Amino acid sequence: MSTERDFLAITDFSTDELHGLFALADRMRTGEYRARPLEGKAFAMLFMKASTRTRVSFEVGAWQLGAHPLFLTPRDVQLGRGEAMSDTARVLDRMVDGIMIRTFAHADVEEFARYSSVPVINGLTDLQHPCQILADLLTIRQHLGTFEGKTVAWIGDGNNMANSWCDAAFRLGFSLRLACPMGYEPDATILARAQATGRVTLVRDPHDAVAGADVVTTDVWASMGQEEEQAQRATAFAAFHVNAALMQRAASDAIFLHCLPAHRGEEVSAEVIDGAQSRVWDEAANRLHVQKAVMAVLMGGEPLG
Ligand code: CP
Ligand code: NVA
């Protein structure tokens, strides 16, 4: 059973710990941090969904910290033939020093963490994408100096990204305005907890969300596993398109973020994602730095702060 610390959601870290993580990740980005706290360790990466950024950033990051990363998919491991999550967890637990999982049901990651005594990191579920939000926050810190006192506008689906943004606003106290169509709101419990801060609002018109915002961000209309809903979602999200006219309503120095992969011409226009306000490439690069910080802390005993 689980004895180690896991990272399944942003709220698994305290406010102070999150600040410590960003400071550590910054030292990794600048090259000041050169330690290899995972020397001789093994890190399993279990992908039940596709990935470019998460796979490469975790694999390269684990290697840079001294660990041996293992890339596992349902095509290779017995999970794909129905072996139980709990059995897989107890086997990996005895052979590796940390596990990252990307899967569908959040409950599967929680079950995995319960049955594993090594740290488990959430590489995306249908409910949460906490590693991406850490990278987004690091990018805001990099380009705007701080996220405190800033306003983030989320445009589109109340999906895993939106839920993790709500958790980040709950922990870090910045303002978050979510513009979501009816029926596509974030998880009710996660949203209510964030709204209790008084700084998180849900609106229906993207123009209301972006007015004066410091950060404008969005995501695909249909997430992995929702491919068959694409046509219905295209109708529901038609007005939730980030283009230059919408960006004009944000602060003049506002930045645009997108976790990627992006669909130009759907949730974002090419002029915005490829334009001067876009920081999406730094955002992707920050996945590496911030996840190295998470691995160094959870698996390598690196202190926070
Ligand atoms: N943003 C993100 O998680 O990208 P991948 O799906 O490519 O890992
Ligand atoms: N919401 C998207 C994020 C991809 C990184 C998905 O779950 O597919």
Side-chain angles (χ1 to χ4, degrees):
M1 287 289 154
S2 184
T3 51
E4 293 291 323
R5 207 166 167 187
D6 304 308
F7 178 51
L8 308 189
I10 292 285
T11 48
D12 288 339
F13 287 116
S14 70
T15 304
D16 285 348
E17 287 173 335
L18 287 169
H19 287 295
L21 262 186
F22 297 129
L24 180 59
D26 265 341
R27 288 171 57 214
M28 290 175 166
R29 182 177 51 222
T30 59
E32 182 194 324
Y33 184 99
R34 302 201 153 270
R36 290 166 61 85
L38 306 188
E39 200 76 65
K41 300 197 175 198
F43 182 61
M45 308 183 300
L46 192 48
F47 282 92
M48 309 300 280
K49 289 176 175 171
S51 170
T52 298
R53 282 141 288 268
T54 306
R55 189 254 167 109
V56 176
S57 55
F58 268 114
E59 185 161 338
V60 171
W63 168 75
Q64 288 181 350
L65 293 173
H68 175 80
L70 295 101
F71 174 61
L72 308 171
T73 78
R75 277 193 301 277
D76 321 307
V77 299
Q78 299 284 13
L79 266 175
R81 295 179 56 246
E83 186 169 12
M85 276 282 180
S86 53
D87 291 357
T88 308
R90 282 177 285 191
V91 171
L92 290 184
D93 174 59
R94 284 159 171 77
M95 300 182 188
V96 304
D97 303 282
I99 301 165
M100 188 239 75
I101 313 178
R102 164 170 287 198
T103 192
F104 294 86
H106 192 73
D108 284 351
V109 173
E110 291 177 332
E111 182 184 5
F112 214 97
R114 259 197 318 281
Y115 279 95
S116 151
S117 63
V118 299
V120 174
I121 298 172
N122 179 0
L124 180 147
T125 62
D126 291 344
L127 189 70
Q128 295 276 5
H129 197 2
C131 291
Q132 181 67 54
I133 296 304
L134 289 184
D136 292 14
L137 292 165
L138 190 65
T139 310
I140 294 171
R141 210 169 167 271
Q142 180 183 357
H143 288 285
L144 302 181
T146 177
F147 31 78
E148 283 146 9
K150 301 294 182 193
T151 296
V152 175
W154 173 265
I155 308 301
D157 194 12
N159 61 13
N160 42 13
M161 285 288 296
N163 290 332
S164 294
W165 270 116
C166 287
D167 282 351
F170 169 69
R171 272 286 184 261
L172 295 168
F174 57 86
S175 298
L176 174 64
R177 291 193 218 122
L178 304 129
C180 309
M182 292 280 274
Y184 294 94
E185 297 82 7
D187 175 84
T189 307
I190 292 172
L191 177 64
R193 180 173 59 186
Q195 285 187 310
T197 63
R199 292 196 209 85
V200 176
T201 50
L202 175 66
V203 297
R204 298 299 175 195
D205 185 342
H207 295 88
D208 294 338
V210 301
D214 304 289
V215 179
V216 178
T217 184
T218 186
D219 191 8
V220 290
W221 292 340
S223 285
M224 289 181 277
Q226 298 171 334
E227 288 78 7
E228 74 291 350
E229 296 174 30
Q230 178 68 43
Q232 169 198 333
R233 283 171 168 268
T235 306
F237 288 97
F240 292 75
H241 173 68
V242 180
N243 54 24
L246 193 69
M247 286 300 291
Q248 281 275 314
R249 298 178 68 101
S252 56
D253 61 349
I255 61 171
F256 173 76
L257 298 179
H258 190 309
C259 64
L260 307 175
H263 293 166
R264 287 172 176 76
E266 291 184 22
E267 77 275 5
V268 61
S269 63
E271 62 189 344
V272 169
I273 195 167
D274 299 320
Q277 288 169 284
S278 175
R279 297 290 179 273
V280 299
W281 310 119
D282 283 344
E283 180 186 6
N286 280 332
R287 293 291 303 276
L288 173 67
H289 309 307
V290 86
Q291 289 161 199
K292 279 173 70 181
V294 170
M295 286 188 283
V297 168
L298 296 189
M299 296 165 58
E302 187 66 45
L304 275 180

